[in-house]
Amino acid sequence: MSSLPEREAVGTLLRHVLELLDGDVAKVYAERELADYRPRYSPVVRALLSGGPMPIRDLARAVGVTHSAASQTVAQMSGAGLVDLTPGADARQRLVSLTPKAHWLLPLVTAEWTATTAAMRTLDSELSMPLVDLLTEVATALTRRPFRARIADAGLPEVAGDPYPAQHGDE
């Protein structure tokens, strides 16, 4: 078993758990000779299946990520031949749609989604509460009161003035 990060390193622990989950899903894809398919593609595929071709901004909203993150994922998926980008209603907009290759992969990807959902239920049965419920609770609490405010309340002193005056002389 791999060693866990120290208890106070919550961000490191969250990334570690995500690596364990996504890493094993990625291994499933690789075992089925889908090495170009990444777990992060599935929410995009699902959104495009349910909503049809859409601009990256709408796709980001549907998936629940930033525009930048959606754009990066779409670029990777385009490189893997899974999505096409076509001009949208105005010059700044690009519509994302699934390619025939993505549609061809759907039966295998859908089977993985079903198996992953079942595997998550078995993992949840070993936890004190379902992981999705805990993560939703955390996200709701942080939306209600951001972590930055909580850090300030914990007594972090304010920064007065320029902390690096020697580097910011008259320019």
Side-chain angles (χ1 to χ4, degrees):
M1 179 174 161
S2 64
S3 62
L4 294 175
E6 64 182 85
R7 185 170 174 79
E8 289 76 23
V10 174
T12 302
L13 183 57
L14 284 169
R15 282 185 289 281
H16 180 69
V17 169
L18 183 59
E19 287 170 6
L20 291 171
L21 293 170
D22 275 0
D24 279 347
V25 172
K27 287 176 188 173
V28 168
Y29 291 134
E31 289 165 358
R32 281 151 182 82
E33 299 182 11
L34 291 176
D36 312 2
Y37 194 89
R38 305 277 180 266
R40 69 186 293 175
Y41 298 170
S42 291
V44 172
V45 170
R46 293 176 91 138
L48 292 172
L49 281 174
S50 68
M54 64 181 77
I56 293 175
R57 184 168 315 286
D58 294 348
L59 185 58
R61 199 172 343 201
V63 173
V65 298
T66 64
H67 183 276
S68 176
S71 186
Q72 289 174 5
T73 300
V74 164
Q76 291 173 347
M77 292 177 74
S78 178
L82 299 171
V83 295
D84 282 327
L85 297 166
T86 56
D90 69 42
R92 297 170 296 164
Q93 194 177 67
R94 294 180 299 159
L95 291 177
V96 182
S97 60
L98 295 175
T99 64
K101 178 181 178 181
H103 283 283
W104 182 80
L105 292 175
L106 277 177
L108 181 56
V109 171
T110 302
E112 177 276 319
W113 293 338
T114 302
T116 297
T117 300
M120 198 66 226
R121 279 197 289 276
T122 65
L123 176 61
D124 284 343
S125 72
E126 298 175 35
L127 305 175
S128 60
M129 71 186 304
L131 184 57
V132 70
D133 292 348
L134 177 59
L135 293 174
T136 301
E137 191 175 324
V138 170
T140 301
L142 292 174
T143 300
R144 188 175 49 249
R145 181 151 173 69
F147 202 55
R148 182 174 185 266
R150 295 166 192 266
I151 292 170
D153 289 349
L156 183 66
E158 293 288 325
V159 176
D162 187 348
Y164 306 105
Q167 294 178 7
H168 298 107
D170 292 333
E171 297 177 39

